[in-house]
Amino acid sequence: MDLMKTADRIFVAGHGGLMGSALVRGLESRNYSKIITRTRAELDLLKQEDVRRFFEKERFDVIFLAAAKVGGIWANNIQRAQFIYENLCIQNHVIWSAYETGVRRLVFIGSSCIYPKFAPQPMPEDCLLTGSLESTNQPYAIAKIAGLELINGLRRQYACDYFSVMPTNLFGIGDNYHSEHSHVLPALIRRFHEAKMESKAEVVVWGTGTPKREFLYSDDAADATIHLAETLKSDTLNYSHIGEKGWSHINVGSGDEVSVAVLAEHVAQAVGFRGKLVFDSSKPDGTPRKLLDSRFLLETGWKPKVSLEEGLKRAYDDFLHGSSRRL
């Protein structure tokens, strides 16, 4: 079975987001000529019948499912019902319609928050469901875990050539810099930029600064995902490596981690803020450490191309002049 062909009809669900837009850029750079996208105004993935009719009309060969309701600690904790409901709907409608309309290959994009709060470090794929989740993003994580199981079920029961990838913390072009709904890195970029513009003497960073995080530039994450879609054979999914180990997904990470305190220093440097950093320990830290074990991916020969420092420069330039969202 052909895994990917440049003439394939490819639907990138969630093309306006950080990962989705990177996937479109990555596919275009590889000369895929039939990339189909839809805005939410054009196709609401929360409406099952609309999704089914769209898939029946378009007859896709390949789907990258990057669409999701996403946000940082505050948004996940406050909008708990919306996060689990909307993500379950999006996943179920896209994945099941893909199965029913004969989509040949589908890649589901998950999130590293699926792992237990106190998972072994680095986190291997098979530590999923071995402990309690981080409470602040549990609804989102449960939705993503359900998506993994649906993909797994379709592969095992109906031999669908579908699989899931689990990216680490992403940043890059087209990130979300919303004052309340953004993740830690874009939130820091916005906070340091505003402090610089207002000539503030200090910037307050949530938490103690001690948690460690792994970051990957979004175009690198997309490159890794497309690489797997182009090379990961069905027998690898079903019989060797993933199948015999019982994995439901493949980790996508850089293999490097940095503390939030050091990250804040890197962001301050990229933005040009020269004031003092103050850490507010009354605010939540979230998971103490999140480093993925990405050996399976790295052993395929793939490796990231963009360093954290270079990625921050590109992200800040996009924040100033590009496609970032700052509501």
Side-chain angles (χ1 to χ4, degrees), residues 223-276:
D223 184 66
T225 301
I226 298 167
H227 164 73
L228 289 170
E230 291 177 329
T231 61
L232 196 60
K233 296 181 179 179
S234 297
D235 59 356
T236 302
L237 288 171
N238 294 323
Y239 305 113
S240 63
H241 298 297
I242 299 169
E244 71 183 24
K245 289 184 177 181
W247 296 353
S248 60
H249 58 281
I250 299 165
N251 285 340
V252 174
S254 64
D256 298 319
E257 63 182 340
V258 62
S259 71
V260 172
V262 172
L263 174 68
E265 292 173 359
H266 281 310
V267 174
Q269 184 174 2
V271 171
F273 174 75
R274 307 208 189 305
K276 181 181 178 182

Side-chain angles (χ1 to χ4, degrees), residues 111-129:
S111 166
S112 59
C113 72
I114 63 166
Y115 290 119
K117 180 173 182 177
F118 297 106
Q121 300 292 327
M123 298 181 285
E125 284 90 345
D126 60 5
C127 77
L128 181 67
L129 297 177

Side-chain angles (χ1 to χ4, degrees), residues 13-206:
H15 76 285
L18 181 63
M19 182 65 172
S21 60
L23 284 166
V24 171
R25 290 191 294 272
L27 290 165
E28 289 175 342
S29 72
R30 288 169 169 77
N31 298 316
Y32 288 96
S33 59
K34 298 176 182 177
I35 305 168
I36 294 93
T37 61
R38 290 291 187 274
T39 65
R40 183 166 183 171
E42 294 169 325
L43 176 68
D44 188 348
L45 299 179
L46 296 176
K47 297 179 179 179
Q48 184 175 18
E49 288 305 313
D50 290 0
V51 175
R52 175 59 188 266
R53 284 194 294 268
F54 174 64
F55 278 37
E56 286 178 340
K57 176 183 177 183
E58 297 291 342
R59 294 292 166 178
F60 299 113
D61 300 298
V62 179
I63 291 176
F64 291 91
L65 176 47
K69 180 176 179 60
V70 298
I73 290 176
W74 185 92
N76 273 275
N77 200 32
I78 297 299
Q79 301 178 37
R80 300 178 73 86
Q82 287 91 338
F83 268 82
I84 190 167
Y85 171 76
E86 293 190 22
N87 282 296
L88 285 172
C89 286
I90 291 168
Q91 296 162 193
N92 290 343
H93 298 166
V94 171
I95 295 169
W96 201 256
S97 291
Y99 159 65
E100 290 188 322
T101 57
V103 171
R104 186 178 76 248
R105 168 145 279 203
L106 183 148
V107 185
F108 173 56
I109 316 297
S111 166
S112 59
C113 72
I114 63 166
Y115 290 119
K117 180 173 182 177
F118 297 106
Q121 300 292 327
M123 298 181 285
E125 284 90 345
D126 60 5
C127 77
L128 181 67
L129 297 177
T130 59
S132 300
L133 298 166
E134 161 61 40
S135 61
T136 55
N137 58 22
Q138 181 170 294
Y140 179 73
I142 290 173
K144 287 296 182 180
I145 292 169
L148 299 182
E149 189 58 31
L150 179 55
I151 292 290
N152 235 15
L154 286 170
R155 192 172 70 239
R156 294 183 180 186
Q157 187 173 350
Y158 298 111
C160 294
D161 206 22
Y162 301 170
F163 68 96
S164 305
V165 297
M166 213 54 46
T168 189
N169 300 292
L170 303 182
F171 72 103
I173 306 302
D175 212 338
N176 178 9
Y177 296 88
H178 191 285
S179 59
E180 295 175 341
H181 300 161
S182 59
H183 289 100
V184 59
L185 199 152
L188 288 174
I189 289 177
R190 175 171 180 160
R191 199 171 305 162
F192 281 116
H193 170 77
E194 291 176 348
K196 183 179 77 169
M197 293 296 99
E198 297 168 12
S199 301
K200 289 185 176 179
E202 65 180 37
V203 165
V204 176
V205 180
W206 276 29

